Amino acid sequence: THTHTSSLWRLSRRAYSAAARLEMIADSQASDVKYLKQIFVRDQMAEWSKAPLLMAKADGVHYWDVDGKHYWDALSGIYTTSVGHNNERVKQAIRGQLEVLHFSPPMHGTNPIAVRLADIIKQCASQNLARRPGGEQV
């Protein structure tokens, strides 16, 4: 495994060096179909990429596109549904966690926060599922 780890380290160093030499496209180029096709590869996105909506910033339930036009975020996202964009409490919690541990892949172990969260989820699920037939298996 030492040889394998050493090979991965050399590979990642080469990839990082190559990435450092890459040129970033300008913000004004982000709406070019040429670049959009690289992230919107599915067929159903082909029409959308002709007139893309590119957001520049968000705050609370508000978005602004790259041209400064304001939008209400009526859809939200994975966590913004509950807390909004640019939520100061969330940002502070993220900063605090980054100071302690920013990533702990399950294949290498775990961390106390992940274990606590899993227990909270299990408790919530158990309470809700216990009322249903078969829920006692949780």
Side-chain angles (χ1 to χ4, degrees), residues 17-27 29 35 38:
S17 294
R21 293 189 301 270
L22 297 176
E23 292 185 34
M24 298 292 288
I25 66 168
D27 285 349
Q29 294 175 292
Y35 297 110
Q38 297 175 116

Side-chain angles (χ1 to χ4, degrees), residues 2-44:
H2 175 68
T3 304
H4 177 70
T5 304
S6 180
S7 299
L8 288 175
W9 174 247
R10 281 195 305 278
L11 179 63
S12 64
R13 281 185 32 211
R14 277 186 293 209
Y16 180 77
S17 294
R21 293 189 301 270
L22 297 176
E23 292 185 34
M24 298 292 288
I25 66 168
D27 285 349
S28 60
Q29 294 175 292
S31 60
D32 290 354
V33 173
K34 168 181 162 181
Y35 297 110
L36 288 171
K37 284 183 178 180
Q38 297 175 116
I39 58 171
F40 297 112
V41 295
R42 298 185 318 221
D43 291 339
Q44 67 261 38

